[in-house]
Amino acid sequence: MTRPPTAAQRRVIDAADPVTGRLRGTAAQLAALVKHGLAFRHPRPPHDHFLTPAGHRIREAVPEAPEPPKPAASGVFTARVGGEEEPPEHSPARVREVHSAWQGLLELRRMTNPDGATDRPCGWERTHLVQAAALALEAAGHRPAGQDGDGYRVRATPQPEAVAVREPDPEALRGCAATLEAAGWQAGEYTEPRTRARYLLASPRRAR
């Protein structure tokens, strides 16, 4: 890419699906993005166009909010990491939105994992650990923490490719571990040295 995308191309990039990177635009716009390495045309029907890693970097080249993240702008999906000041309302519409995002993530795994595996996290998840783990938990029906403290909380850790999951209820914490392992993560239970509280340390499983 020798020059930044045009305003029209940038609008197409910004409107891409936040999970799968699927694009919608005119044939000329999509062809131009492919030419500049910002998109690729899927070889299988219906031959949709998707952002490449370079396209994702352009789309995401904005300052990130500190954790826990604020709710995303209207129309953009954000998984609940727990502890948000203004969490999205739990409603049938939210359940459908989470389900759709999870299915989109499975499709992204299929398209981007070298072996097409859907039972193992993909590159996007490895660069969005907190959001990826939170989506797996929310999609499985676990309750994110509210201001009262009950529910799960997913946070980044100093360790590479690892997130911490805290849940005050021991049984619910074990349920979170089972969900993450089924979603392709490795999850181990540990004890905080000072508080003695139990928590999970989870990281995406790699190909054997």
mmCIF file of all heavy atoms in Angstrom, residues 18-19 52-54 56-57 60 64 67 105 108 112 121-133 156 160-163 185 203-204 206:
data_model
loop_
_atom_site.group_PDB
_atom_site.id
_atom_site.type_symbol
_atom_site.label_atom_id
_atom_site.label_comp_id
_atom_site.label_asym_id
_atom_site.label_seq_id
_atom_site.Cartn_x
_atom_site.Cartn_y
_atom_site.Cartn_z
ATOM 1 N N PRO A 18 -17.223 -6.132 12.293
ATOM 2 C CA PRO A 18 -16.151 -6.016 13.281
ATOM 3 C C PRO A 18 -15.503 -7.344 13.655
ATOM 4 O O PRO A 18 -14.398 -7.360 14.157
ATOM 5 C CB PRO A 18 -16.851 -5.375 14.483
ATOM 6 C CG PRO A 18 -18.287 -5.712 14.316
ATOM 7 C CD PRO A 18 -18.527 -5.714 12.834
ATOM 8 N N VAL A 19 -16.189 -8.455 13.426
ATOM 9 C CA VAL A 19 -15.628 -9.759 13.780
ATOM 10 C C VAL A 19 -15.009 -10.446 12.577
ATOM 11 O O VAL A 19 -13.844 -10.832 12.585
ATOM 12 C CB VAL A 19 -16.701 -10.656 14.424
ATOM 13 C CG1 VAL A 19 -16.150 -12.051 14.677
ATOM 14 C CG2 VAL A 19 -17.202 -10.049 15.720
ATOM 15 N N THR A 52 -7.948 -7.881 4.920
ATOM 16 C CA THR A 52 -6.695 -8.562 5.238
ATOM 17 C C THR A 52 -6.203 -8.015 6.594
ATOM 18 O O THR A 52 -6.767 -7.049 7.122
ATOM 19 C CB THR A 52 -5.634 -8.266 4.172
ATOM 20 O OG1 THR A 52 -5.388 -6.851 4.161
ATOM 21 C CG2 THR A 52 -6.097 -8.722 2.792
ATOM 22 N N PRO A 53 -5.143 -8.603 7.186
ATOM 23 C CA PRO A 53 -4.586 -8.029 8.421
ATOM 24 C C PRO A 53 -4.239 -6.553 8.271
ATOM 25 O O PRO A 53 -4.450 -5.759 9.198
ATOM 26 C CB PRO A 53 -3.343 -8.891 8.672
ATOM 27 C CG PRO A 53 -3.733 -10.235 8.107
ATOM 28 C CD PRO A 53 -4.534 -9.916 6.866
ATOM 29 N N ALA A 54 -3.723 -6.157 7.093
ATOM 30 C CA ALA A 54 -3.410 -4.737 6.875
ATOM 31 C C ALA A 54 -4.686 -3.900 6.891
ATOM 32 O O ALA A 54 -4.703 -2.783 7.434
ATOM 33 C CB ALA A 54 -2.679 -4.568 5.546
ATOM 34 N N HIS A 56 -7.447 -4.658 8.535
ATOM 35 C CA HIS A 56 -7.881 -4.593 9.937
ATOM 36 C C HIS A 56 -7.096 -3.531 10.701
ATOM 37 O O HIS A 56 -7.660 -2.811 11.529
ATOM 38 C CB HIS A 56 -7.705 -5.961 10.605
ATOM 39 C CG HIS A 56 -8.841 -6.903 10.367
ATOM 40 N ND1 HIS A 56 -10.100 -6.712 10.925
ATOM 41 C CD2 HIS A 56 -8.918 -8.039 9.640
ATOM 42 C CE1 HIS A 56 -10.887 -7.713 10.554
ATOM 43 N NE2 HIS A 56 -10.206 -8.519 9.772
ATOM 44 N N ARG A 57 -5.800 -3.433 10.429
ATOM 45 C CA ARG A 57 -4.986 -2.446 11.148
ATOM 46 C C ARG A 57 -5.446 -1.030 10.839
ATOM 47 O O ARG A 57 -5.484 -0.168 11.728
ATOM 48 C CB ARG A 57 -3.508 -2.621 10.785
ATOM 49 C CG ARG A 57 -2.865 -3.834 11.437
ATOM 50 C CD ARG A 57 -1.349 -3.771 11.326
ATOM 51 N NE ARG A 57 -0.886 -3.886 9.950
ATOM 52 C CZ ARG A 57 -0.627 -5.036 9.352
ATOM 53 N NH1 ARG A 57 -0.793 -6.180 10.007
ATOM 54 N NH2 ARG A 57 -0.188 -5.076 8.102
ATOM 55 N N GLU A 60 -8.697 -0.378 12.677
ATOM 56 C CA GLU A 60 -8.587 -0.307 14.128
ATOM 57 C C GLU A 60 -7.562 0.708 14.595
ATOM 58 O O GLU A 60 -7.250 0.774 15.788
ATOM 59 C CB GLU A 60 -8.228 -1.689 14.673
ATOM 60 C CG GLU A 60 -9.308 -2.726 14.402
ATOM 61 C CD GLU A 60 -8.837 -4.143 14.654
ATOM 62 O OE1 GLU A 60 -7.675 -4.320 15.093
ATOM 63 O OE2 GLU A 60 -9.636 -5.065 14.432
ATOM 64 N N GLU A 64 -7.483 3.056 21.803
ATOM 65 C CA GLU A 64 -8.401 2.164 22.492
ATOM 66 C C GLU A 64 -8.734 2.705 23.864
ATOM 67 O O GLU A 64 -7.891 3.291 24.553
ATOM 68 C CB GLU A 64 -7.783 0.770 22.621
ATOM 69 C CG GLU A 64 -7.597 0.092 21.297
ATOM 70 C CD GLU A 64 -7.076 -1.317 21.468
ATOM 71 O OE1 GLU A 64 -6.810 -1.700 22.609
ATOM 72 O OE2 GLU A 64 -6.942 -2.011 20.448
ATOM 73 N N GLU A 67 -9.545 -0.403 29.909
ATOM 74 C CA GLU A 67 -10.493 -1.413 30.385
ATOM 75 C C GLU A 67 -11.082 -0.968 31.713
ATOM 76 O O GLU A 67 -10.413 -0.330 32.520
ATOM 77 C CB GLU A 67 -9.773 -2.755 30.555
ATOM 78 C CG GLU A 67 -9.376 -3.372 29.241
ATOM 79 C CD GLU A 67 -8.806 -4.761 29.442
ATOM 80 O OE1 GLU A 67 -8.908 -5.337 30.545
ATOM 81 O OE2 GLU A 67 -8.254 -5.278 28.497
ATOM 82 N N LEU A 105 -17.432 -15.293 14.326
ATOM 83 C CA LEU A 105 -16.073 -15.609 14.750
ATOM 84 C C LEU A 105 -15.685 -17.030 14.339
ATOM 85 O O LEU A 105 -14.552 -17.279 13.912
ATOM 86 C CB LEU A 105 -15.955 -15.446 16.266
ATOM 87 C CG LEU A 105 -14.561 -15.648 16.854
ATOM 88 C CD1 LEU A 105 -13.551 -14.720 16.197
ATOM 89 C CD2 LEU A 105 -14.577 -15.432 18.356
ATOM 90 N N LEU A 108 -14.755 -16.851 10.836
ATOM 91 C CA LEU A 108 -13.426 -16.252 10.679
ATOM 92 C C LEU A 108 -12.340 -17.286 10.978
ATOM 93 O O LEU A 108 -11.314 -17.333 10.290
ATOM 94 C CB LEU A 108 -13.288 -15.053 11.613
ATOM 95 C CG LEU A 108 -12.005 -14.232 11.477
ATOM 96 C CD1 LEU A 108 -11.916 -13.615 10.089
ATOM 97 C CD2 LEU A 108 -11.936 -13.163 12.551
ATOM 98 N N THR A 112 -9.456 -18.321 8.264
ATOM 99 C CA THR A 112 -8.096 -17.832 8.484
ATOM 100 C C THR A 112 -7.161 -18.832 9.148
ATOM 101 O O THR A 112 -5.947 -18.678 9.028
ATOM 102 C CB THR A 112 -8.123 -16.535 9.319
ATOM 103 O OG1 THR A 112 -8.744 -16.798 10.592
ATOM 104 C CG2 THR A 112 -8.903 -15.442 8.595
ATOM 105 N N PRO A 121 -8.776 -20.950 18.416
ATOM 106 C CA PRO A 121 -8.760 -19.515 18.143
ATOM 107 C C PRO A 121 -7.894 -19.149 16.947
ATOM 108 O O PRO A 121 -6.902 -19.832 16.640
ATOM 109 C CB PRO A 121 -8.210 -18.921 19.449
ATOM 110 C CG PRO A 121 -8.650 -19.896 20.500
ATOM 111 C CD PRO A 121 -8.506 -21.246 19.837
ATOM 112 N N CYS A 122 -8.280 -18.069 16.282
ATOM 113 C CA CYS A 122 -7.560 -17.606 15.094
ATOM 114 C C CYS A 122 -6.703 -16.395 15.449
ATOM 115 O O CYS A 122 -6.630 -15.959 16.595
ATOM 116 C CB CYS A 122 -8.554 -17.259 13.988
ATOM 117 S SG CYS A 122 -9.703 -15.925 14.427
ATOM 118 N N GLY A 123 -6.054 -15.848 14.433
ATOM 119 C CA GLY A 123 -5.155 -14.716 14.651
ATOM 120 C C GLY A 123 -5.844 -13.507 15.245
ATOM 121 O O GLY A 123 -5.273 -12.810 16.093
ATOM 122 N N TRP A 124 -7.079 -13.219 14.796
ATOM 123 C CA TRP A 124 -7.795 -12.059 15.340
ATOM 124 C C TRP A 124 -7.978 -12.199 16.840
ATOM 125 O O TRP A 124 -7.803 -11.233 17.592
ATOM 126 C CB TRP A 124 -9.161 -11.915 14.651
ATOM 127 C CG TRP A 124 -9.930 -10.720 15.132
ATOM 128 C CD1 TRP A 124 -9.897 -9.458 14.622
ATOM 129 C CD2 TRP A 124 -10.862 -10.675 16.237
ATOM 130 N NE1 TRP A 124 -10.745 -8.626 15.327
ATOM 131 C CE2 TRP A 124 -11.339 -9.342 16.319
ATOM 132 C CE3 TRP A 124 -11.327 -11.621 17.141
ATOM 133 C CZ2 TRP A 124 -12.262 -8.944 17.292
ATOM 134 C CZ3 TRP A 124 -12.245 -11.228 18.119
ATOM 135 C CH2 TRP A 124 -12.697 -9.902 18.175
ATOM 136 N N GLU A 125 -8.308 -13.397 17.300
ATOM 137 C CA GLU A 125 -8.525 -13.603 18.731
ATOM 138 C C GLU A 125 -7.237 -13.411 19.524
ATOM 139 O O GLU A 125 -7.255 -12.918 20.658
ATOM 140 C CB GLU A 125 -9.097 -14.999 18.975
ATOM 141 C CG GLU A 125 -10.522 -15.146 18.457
ATOM 142 C CD GLU A 125 -10.992 -16.582 18.441
ATOM 143 O OE1 GLU A 125 -10.753 -17.277 17.424
ATOM 144 O OE2 GLU A 125 -11.604 -17.012 19.435
ATOM 145 N N ARG A 126 -6.102 -13.791 18.929
ATOM 146 C CA ARG A 126 -4.828 -13.661 19.624
ATOM 147 C C ARG A 126 -4.402 -12.204 19.773
ATOM 148 O O ARG A 126 -3.546 -11.890 20.602
ATOM 149 C CB ARG A 126 -3.749 -14.470 18.900
ATOM 150 C CG ARG A 126 -4.042 -15.956 18.887
ATOM 151 C CD ARG A 126 -2.984 -16.764 18.135
ATOM 152 N NE ARG A 126 -3.440 -18.128 17.955
ATOM 153 C CZ ARG A 126 -3.400 -19.072 18.889
ATOM 154 N NH1 ARG A 126 -2.875 -18.781 20.071
ATOM 155 N NH2 ARG A 126 -3.846 -20.288 18.668
ATOM 156 N N THR A 127 -4.953 -11.328 18.953
ATOM 157 C CA THR A 127 -4.657 -9.901 19.084
ATOM 158 C C THR A 127 -5.793 -9.139 19.774
ATOM 159 O O THR A 127 -5.684 -7.937 19.969
ATOM 160 C CB THR A 127 -4.389 -9.277 17.705
ATOM 161 O OG1 THR A 127 -5.525 -9.456 16.852
ATOM 162 C CG2 THR A 127 -3.168 -9.905 17.056
ATOM 163 N N HIS A 128 -6.862 -9.843 20.132
ATOM 164 C CA HIS A 128 -7.993 -9.254 20.854
ATOM 165 C C HIS A 128 -8.422 -10.222 21.959
ATOM 166 O O HIS A 128 -9.558 -10.673 22.018
ATOM 167 C CB HIS A 128 -9.169 -8.994 19.908
ATOM 168 C CG HIS A 128 -8.872 -8.033 18.800
ATOM 169 N ND1 HIS A 128 -8.150 -8.393 17.679
ATOM 170 C CD2 HIS A 128 -9.193 -6.730 18.627
ATOM 171 C CE1 HIS A 128 -8.042 -7.340 16.865
ATOM 172 N NE2 HIS A 128 -8.670 -6.326 17.417
ATOM 173 N N LEU A 129 -7.464 -10.562 22.825
ATOM 174 C CA LEU A 129 -7.671 -11.626 23.799
ATOM 175 C C LEU A 129 -8.875 -11.390 24.699
ATOM 176 O O LEU A 129 -9.700 -12.290 24.920
ATOM 177 C CB LEU A 129 -6.412 -11.803 24.651
ATOM 178 C CG LEU A 129 -5.160 -12.310 23.932
ATOM 179 C CD1 LEU A 129 -3.946 -12.204 24.847
ATOM 180 C CD2 LEU A 129 -5.355 -13.750 23.481
ATOM 181 N N VAL A 130 -8.979 -10.202 25.259
ATOM 182 C CA VAL A 130 -10.051 -9.926 26.221
ATOM 183 C C VAL A 130 -11.411 -10.018 25.547
ATOM 184 O O VAL A 130 -12.337 -10.675 26.048
ATOM 185 C CB VAL A 130 -9.852 -8.545 26.884
ATOM 186 C CG1 VAL A 130 -11.063 -8.171 27.733
ATOM 187 C CG2 VAL A 130 -8.587 -8.551 27.749
ATOM 188 N N GLN A 131 -11.555 -9.376 24.382
ATOM 189 C CA GLN A 131 -12.826 -9.413 23.680
ATOM 190 C C GLN A 131 -13.167 -10.835 23.224
ATOM 191 O O GLN A 131 -14.322 -11.259 23.293
ATOM 192 C CB GLN A 131 -12.782 -8.479 22.467
ATOM 193 C CG GLN A 131 -12.951 -7.016 22.818
ATOM 194 C CD GLN A 131 -14.359 -6.709 23.308
ATOM 195 O OE1 GLN A 131 -15.337 -7.192 22.746
ATOM 196 N NE2 GLN A 131 -14.473 -5.933 24.377
ATOM 197 N N ALA A 132 -12.162 -11.586 22.757
ATOM 198 C CA ALA A 132 -12.415 -12.943 22.275
ATOM 199 C C ALA A 132 -12.873 -13.859 23.397
ATOM 200 O O ALA A 132 -13.842 -14.617 23.247
ATOM 201 C CB ALA A 132 -11.157 -13.504 21.616
ATOM 202 N N ALA A 133 -12.198 -13.798 24.542
ATOM 203 C CA ALA A 133 -12.590 -14.637 25.672
ATOM 204 C C ALA A 133 -13.966 -14.229 26.190
ATOM 205 O O ALA A 133 -14.803 -15.082 26.526
ATOM 206 C CB ALA A 133 -11.552 -14.545 26.785
ATOM 207 N N ALA A 156 -6.977 -8.164 30.866
ATOM 208 C CA ALA A 156 -5.657 -8.452 30.328
ATOM 209 C C ALA A 156 -4.693 -8.743 31.472
ATOM 210 O O ALA A 156 -4.926 -8.359 32.620
ATOM 211 C CB ALA A 156 -5.159 -7.267 29.511
ATOM 212 N N PRO A 160 2.068 -12.787 28.074
ATOM 213 C CA PRO A 160 1.668 -12.764 26.663
ATOM 214 C C PRO A 160 0.617 -13.826 26.377
ATOM 215 O O PRO A 160 0.695 -14.946 26.884
ATOM 216 C CB PRO A 160 2.985 -13.066 25.923
ATOM 217 C CG PRO A 160 3.823 -13.797 26.927
ATOM 218 C CD PRO A 160 3.463 -13.216 28.257
ATOM 219 N N GLU A 161 -0.370 -13.448 25.576
ATOM 220 C CA GLU A 161 -1.435 -14.355 25.150
ATOM 221 C C GLU A 161 -2.157 -14.999 26.329
ATOM 222 O O GLU A 161 -2.448 -16.196 26.323
ATOM 223 C CB GLU A 161 -0.896 -15.428 24.195
ATOM 224 C CG GLU A 161 -0.588 -14.885 22.823
ATOM 225 C CD GLU A 161 -0.705 -15.930 21.723
ATOM 226 O OE1 GLU A 161 -0.938 -17.107 22.032
ATOM 227 O OE2 GLU A 161 -0.582 -15.548 20.547
ATOM 228 N N ALA A 162 -2.459 -14.212 27.357
ATOM 229 C CA ALA A 162 -3.201 -14.757 28.497
ATOM 230 C C ALA A 162 -4.114 -13.690 29.071
ATOM 231 O O ALA A 162 -3.750 -12.518 29.139
ATOM 232 C CB ALA A 162 -2.254 -15.266 29.577
ATOM 233 N N VAL A 163 -5.313 -14.102 29.450
ATOM 234 C CA VAL A 163 -6.250 -13.216 30.128
ATOM 235 C C VAL A 163 -6.608 -13.824 31.479
ATOM 236 O O VAL A 163 -6.481 -15.034 31.687
ATOM 237 C CB VAL A 163 -7.543 -12.997 29.303
ATOM 238 C CG1 VAL A 163 -7.243 -12.291 27.999
ATOM 239 C CG2 VAL A 163 -8.258 -14.328 29.058
ATOM 240 N N TRP A 185 -9.607 -22.723 24.176
ATOM 241 C CA TRP A 185 -8.651 -22.078 25.060
ATOM 242 C C TRP A 185 -8.111 -23.080 26.067
ATOM 243 O O TRP A 185 -8.749 -24.090 26.354
ATOM 244 C CB TRP A 185 -9.313 -20.920 25.815
ATOM 245 C CG TRP A 185 -9.746 -19.785 24.944
ATOM 246 C CD1 TRP A 185 -10.703 -19.805 23.971
ATOM 247 C CD2 TRP A 185 -9.256 -18.443 24.972
ATOM 248 N NE1 TRP A 185 -10.831 -18.568 23.386
ATOM 249 C CE2 TRP A 185 -9.962 -17.716 23.982
ATOM 250 C CE3 TRP A 185 -8.294 -17.788 25.745
ATOM 251 C CZ2 TRP A 185 -9.731 -16.371 23.752
ATOM 252 C CZ3 TRP A 185 -8.059 -16.440 25.519
ATOM 253 C CH2 TRP A 185 -8.774 -15.736 24.517
ATOM 254 N N SER A 203 -5.504 -18.932 27.881
ATOM 255 C CA SER A 203 -4.774 -18.535 26.676
ATOM 256 C C SER A 203 -5.265 -19.373 25.501
ATOM 257 O O SER A 203 -5.699 -20.520 25.679
ATOM 258 C CB SER A 203 -3.266 -18.733 26.861
ATOM 259 O OG SER A 203 -2.980 -20.083 27.168
ATOM 260 N N PRO A 204 -5.223 -18.823 24.280
ATOM 261 C CA PRO A 204 -5.686 -19.566 23.104
ATOM 262 C C PRO A 204 -4.825 -20.793 22.848
ATOM 263 O O PRO A 204 -3.599 -20.730 22.922
ATOM 264 C CB PRO A 204 -5.551 -18.560 21.960
ATOM 265 C CG PRO A 204 -5.457 -17.224 22.624
ATOM 266 C CD PRO A 204 -4.791 -17.472 23.932
ATOM 267 N N ARG A 206 -2.959 -23.571 20.700
ATOM 268 C CA ARG A 206 -2.313 -23.579 19.395
ATOM 269 C C ARG A 206 -2.457 -24.944 18.736
ATOM 270 O O ARG A 206 -2.782 -25.937 19.399
ATOM 271 C CB ARG A 206 -0.819 -23.233 19.541
ATOM 272 C CG ARG A 206 -0.596 -21.776 19.936
ATOM 273 C CD ARG A 206 0.878 -21.426 19.860
ATOM 274 N NE ARG A 206 1.098 -20.023 20.154
ATOM 275 C CZ ARG A 206 0.969 -19.041 19.276
ATOM 276 N NH1 ARG A 206 0.607 -19.328 18.032
ATOM 277 N NH2 ARG A 206 1.201 -17.788 19.613
#
